[in-house]
Amino acid sequence: MKAVCQVCMHRCQLEEGQFGICRARKNQDGKVVCENYGQVTSLALDPIEKKPLNMFHPGSMILSVGSYGCNLRCPFCQNYEISMEGAAEAETLYISPQDLADKALGCKDLGNAGVAFTYNEPLVGYEYVRDTAKLVKEAGMVNVLVTNGSAELEVLEEILPYIDAMNIDLKGFTAEYYRKLGGDLKVVKAFIQRAAKDCHVELTTLIVPGENDRMEEMEAEAQWIASVDENIPLHVTRFFPRYHMTDREATEVNEVYHLADVARKHLKNVFEGNC
């Protein structure tokens, strides 16, 4: 029996046993299930500024966890070894929600503030995020989500009560660029608008030479962010050749600083990254 996944804009129509674009969700007995639930590929205690979050619990550590799969196809992906893999290729270790919450609590003496769901796209397995984040919250710790924001608002509503902070990738600010990456700008904008109402939100834009580095685009992006909340921090970060995009040089440092200055005309908190 065919099943339609409702998690993101792709609305994958899956035959029995078939995986979606994300490689993490599949049709099992006529129902779309989260195949990567609890399947951890990466676990590390990171400075929270690496997420990047500069204005949420600064100076603290955060237990960062990732699985496999993603619903975008960015040719410059920094974590393609896990985000572009599926169940058959990924090397995983099962960690239950309770075990992960216990690990987070056990790291508290090391300065750990909680758990960050990151590395791959966490929302392709949002059920694990929801279940774990609830337990982390009950333990008195915080939850961070690092996401591309390419999920339906119904998914966001399920996890939002348990998430304290997010860093959301705003890849660029044209519909054309998002189409190239396999996404939808309108979906991400709606996600940001809703998340910012009930959660600390910071945004990241990776500046890719020849793709999203026009001053006019950054001007439009910053104006829109300010219309949501001028206090939302924006991280303007430097691209380095990676994955399928090794055909161009790293972004000029001066260009990153210039575009950050453009954003500062509209936003109160702008940070340069990878410089």
Side-chain angles (χ1 to χ4, degrees):
M1 181 186 299
K2 186 174 286 190
V4 180
C5 184
Q6 307 289 334
V7 168
C8 78
M9 64 279 164
H10 293 302
R11 287 288 194 274
C12 293
Q13 298 188 32
L14 307 175
E15 301 290 347
E16 174 64 34
Q18 184 181 6
F19 283 85
I21 286 172
C22 66
R23 300 181 177 139
R25 306 186 71 80
K26 77 170 185 177
N27 180 349
Q28 183 174 300
D29 299 326
K31 181 181 178 182
V32 179
V33 298
C34 170
E35 186 75 3
N36 70 348
Y37 189 99
Q39 299 299 326
V40 172
T41 59
S42 307
L43 186 68
L45 193 61
D46 290 333
I48 202 164
E49 288 82 4
K50 282 184 69 175
K51 297 305 97 188
L53 288 170
N54 281 17
M55 299 184 69
F56 181 79
H57 288 255
S60 67
M61 305 295 285
I62 194 89
L63 185 63
S64 302
V65 62
S67 185
Y68 60 83
C70 183
N71 57 347
L72 297 185
R73 288 293 177 268
C74 303
F76 45 78
C77 183
Q78 300 296 300
N79 292 323
Y80 67 92
E81 297 95 339
I82 57 173
S83 65
M84 298 302 167
E85 288 193 340
E89 305 87 16
E91 294 184 11
T92 64
L93 174 69
Y94 178 76
I95 301 179
S96 73
Q98 187 63 63
D99 284 346
L100 186 56
D102 290 344
K103 286 179 184 293
L105 202 55
C107 293
K108 199 167 184 179
D109 289 345
L110 300 175
N112 183 41
V115 171
F117 302 92
T118 180
Y119 300 136
N120 73 309
E121 173 46 53
L123 294 184
V124 299
Y126 78 91
E127 295 94 336
Y128 184 70
V129 175
R130 177 197 63 204
D131 296 349
T132 306
K134 185 177 180 181
L135 295 173
V136 171
K137 196 93 166 163
E138 288 172 357
M141 304 189 83
V142 301
N143 292 292
V144 167
L145 181 72
V146 182
T147 177
N148 60 31
S150 296
E152 298 294 354
L153 294 183
E154 291 81 3
V155 170
L156 178 58
E157 295 294 348
E158 279 214 40
I159 64 167
L160 201 48
Y162 314 112
I163 302 298
D164 300 283
M166 296 186 196
N167 185 287
I168 305 170
D169 276 336
L170 184 53
K171 305 283 185 180
F173 210 66
T174 67
E176 178 187 8
Y177 186 51
Y178 259 92
R179 280 194 294 270
K180 289 175 70 172
L181 305 181
D184 186 325
L185 177 59
K186 289 182 180 179
V187 170
V188 179
K189 288 169 70 175
F191 189 100
I192 292 169
Q193 287 174 307
R194 176 64 190 94
K197 290 180 180 178
D198 288 321
C199 184
H200 175 84
V201 168
E202 301 192 21
L203 305 176
T204 297
T205 299
L206 181 73
I207 304 301
V208 183
E211 298 291 344
N212 64 342
D213 56 349
R214 293 183 307 111
M215 185 178 70
E216 297 82 4
E217 186 173 336
M218 179 54 73
E219 184 94 43
E221 177 180 318
Q223 286 178 328
W224 178 79
I225 296 169
S227 75
V228 178
D229 185 345
E230 65 180 2
N231 294 301
I232 291 176
L234 173 65
H235 301 259
V236 181
T237 61
R238 188 184 183 204
F239 159 87
F240 288 95
R242 187 79 168 141
Y243 192 34
H244 293 316
M245 195 169 274
T246 57
D247 60 338
R248 63 201 73 192
E249 299 296 320
T251 317
E252 293 287 342
V253 172
N254 288 343
E255 184 68 10
V256 174
Y257 279 94
H258 170 63
L259 291 174
D261 284 340
V262 171
R264 284 190 185 96
K265 292 193 291 182
H266 306 283
L267 300 171
K268 293 185 176 181
N269 303 294
V270 180
F271 305 96
E272 298 89 356
N274 295 343
C275 292

